[in-house]
Amino acid sequence: MIRVGSRAMASSELVATAAEVRERVAAARADGKAIGLVPTMGALHEGHLTLMRRARAESGYVVVSIFVNPTQFVAGEDFERYPRDLAGDGKLCGSVGADLILAPEVSEVYPPGDSTWVEVTGALVEGMCAPHRPGHFRGVTTVCARLFNIVRPDRAYFGEKDYQQLQVVKRMVRDLKFPLEVIPVPTVREPDGMAMSSRNAYLSPEERKAAVSLSRALFAAGDLADAGERDTHKLVAAARAVTQAEPLLRLQYLELRDAETLETVTHVERPVVLAVAALVGRARLIDNVVMVPGFSVDRIERDVYHEGDVKKGQGARR
Ligand code: AMP
């Protein structure tokens, strides 16, 4: 136990190897516990902690992986300078009651001589972030497949903030029949609406003010959809107008796509995702909102609809 002031805080056990994880997980399973995995790249914030709390509430044994995965960074991106703070992250994991932290070296996940990739193909990886980050999703699915095989969780928690990643991982799990459930967790935002991200740390105060235009743009389109607008072009144009008013934003894409297949749509009839990516200073930021016809974006952001509803194409209260 670590004592902080008068408050007792549980600490999470820290391990670095697959063998250590396997041993701990086997013991938890022998105790009849279900295993929840929260994969992260560290520099933890409230978004990550929300995933962990959800895992804590649903699974008897919670594993958090902290691994800045080199294969999902494209040449010239921020792999080297990505924020790393294992000591701070460890405390945060302990504060939400995570049982185990796996913080492996690169050579533990990708042993020398290794030559296996896992790649989803098709519409899910053709638009949005894919053309701007060639090879990124192949790196994501490869590391997730490896982490799933190391930890063998019953559930793995992913944020809707990385919407395309979530859909790609879900497809991999389905296609390869990994025996686990992917649990999506709604985006956690700052009080002004900006999506929390480890990369927000790169922003100067001036850039941080500019960056809020991303969520504002999405919510402007959401308001229009709430008012009954179903024309994709008009919804995208409303969002684009907000981003164009901010000179510090360099937009990479602003796209409205089917929420499940990520195919382009011209008219909103089923749930759709409006997704954006932009460069602000040194940071590449992404955000999205899901719009469900008949359901307001605000209510969705407050998590009043769930996964299955997207498939049924209608909203429903929990
Ligand atoms: P990362 O460390 O950025 O790779 O993120 C690890 C996990 O946390 C991913 O599943 C992300 O989608 C999720 N995540 C990151 N930021 C947020 C956020 N603001 N709200 C919800 N989930 C998030």
Side-chain angles (χ1 to χ4, degrees):
M1 296 282 264
I2 304 167
R3 288 208 170 265
V4 178
S6 59
R7 227 182 52 203
M9 225 164 68
S11 59
S12 310
E13 190 185 1
L14 176 65
V15 297
T17 65
E20 289 166 300
V21 175
R22 288 258 172 90
E23 192 188 312
R24 306 311 190 270
V25 165
R29 255 195 220 298
D31 271 359
K33 293 176 177 166
I35 314 300
L37 171 66
V38 182
T40 82
M41 298 206 299
L44 301 179
H45 52 68
E46 191 55 33
H48 299 113
L49 296 182
T50 302
L51 269 61
M52 292 180 207
R53 288 193 199 96
R54 177 88 184 264
R56 179 70 286 161
E58 293 177 353
S59 302
Y61 194 78
V62 175
V63 182
V64 177
S65 60
I66 297 181
F67 180 60
V68 184
N69 172 36
T71 65
Q72 71 186 72
F73 288 79
V74 177
E77 287 189 344
D78 55 345
F79 173 68
E80 298 296 341
R81 63 188 166 91
Y82 195 84
R84 291 162 169 91
D85 176 17
L86 190 54
D89 288 348
K91 286 186 192 140
L92 289 171
C93 291
S95 75
V96 294
D99 296 293
L100 189 70
I101 301 168
L102 167 62
E105 296 293 333
V106 171
S107 59
E108 180 70 10
V109 179
Y110 300 104
D114 174 286
S115 59
T116 301
W117 293 93
V118 179
E119 185 168 17
V120 168
T121 59
L124 284 183
V125 293
E126 277 161 9
M128 295 168 63
C129 286
H132 300 277
R133 306 188 74 188
H136 167 71
F137 289 111
R138 182 173 86 145
V140 168
T141 41
T142 298
V143 78
C144 285
R146 287 167 190 236
L147 290 171
F148 292 165
N149 277 328
I150 291 170
V151 179
R152 300 179 186 165
D154 299 290
R155 304 185 190 94
Y157 296 82
F158 287 86
E160 289 182 353
K161 150 118 183 338
D162 298 277
Y163 194 85
Q164 191 171 16
Q165 166 176 285
L166 168 65
Q167 300 307 324
V168 168
V169 171
K170 274 166 66 175
R171 178 66 58 85
M172 176 191 77
V173 164
R174 194 191 76 182
D175 290 354
L176 296 186
K177 298 183 174 33
F178 274 99
L180 62 93
E181 194 183 352
V182 173
I183 311 280
V185 178
T187 302
V188 179
R189 298 179 178 282
E190 303 283 358
D192 66 357
M194 170 127 165
M196 290 189 179
S197 165
S198 306
R199 291 190 167 98
N200 292 354
Y202 297 149
L203 300 171
S204 70
E206 195 192 1
E207 290 162 352
R208 171 64 183 81
K209 270 190 210 149
V212 77
S213 299
L214 290 181
S215 55
R216 290 218 179 109
L218 300 176
F219 286 116
D223 288 346
L224 208 57
D226 287 352
E229 184 58 66
R230 295 286 176 264
D231 183 327
T232 300
H233 292 295
K234 289 188 182 154
L235 293 169
V236 172
R240 194 176 292 277
V242 178
T243 60
Q244 279 172 346
E246 180 42 72
L248 291 185
L249 282 190
R250 283 169 290 148
L251 202 64
Q252 281 195 337
Y253 68 80
L254 180 57
E255 293 177 5
L256 195 143
R257 289 178 173 254
D258 182 278
E260 202 178 341
T261 64
L262 301 188
E263 285 163 349
T264 51
V265 290
T266 53
H267 207 257
V268 179
E269 281 154 14
R270 287 172 29 81
V272 293
V273 59
L274 179 60
V276 66
L279 300 171
V280 186
R282 296 189 311 156
R284 180 179 184 276
L285 305 175
I286 57 171
D287 198 358
N288 70 85
V289 289
V290 175
M291 302 176 190
V292 182
F295 256 66
S296 87
V297 166
D298 270 345
R299 286 155 73 198
I300 292 164
E301 287 297 305
R302 289 200 302 268
D303 190 21
V304 294
Y305 95 106
H306 60 87
E307 260 282 282
D309 302 327
V310 171
K311 295 200 183 73
K312 282 182 248 141
Q314 59 190 23
R317 290 195 172 274
R318 276 193 203 280

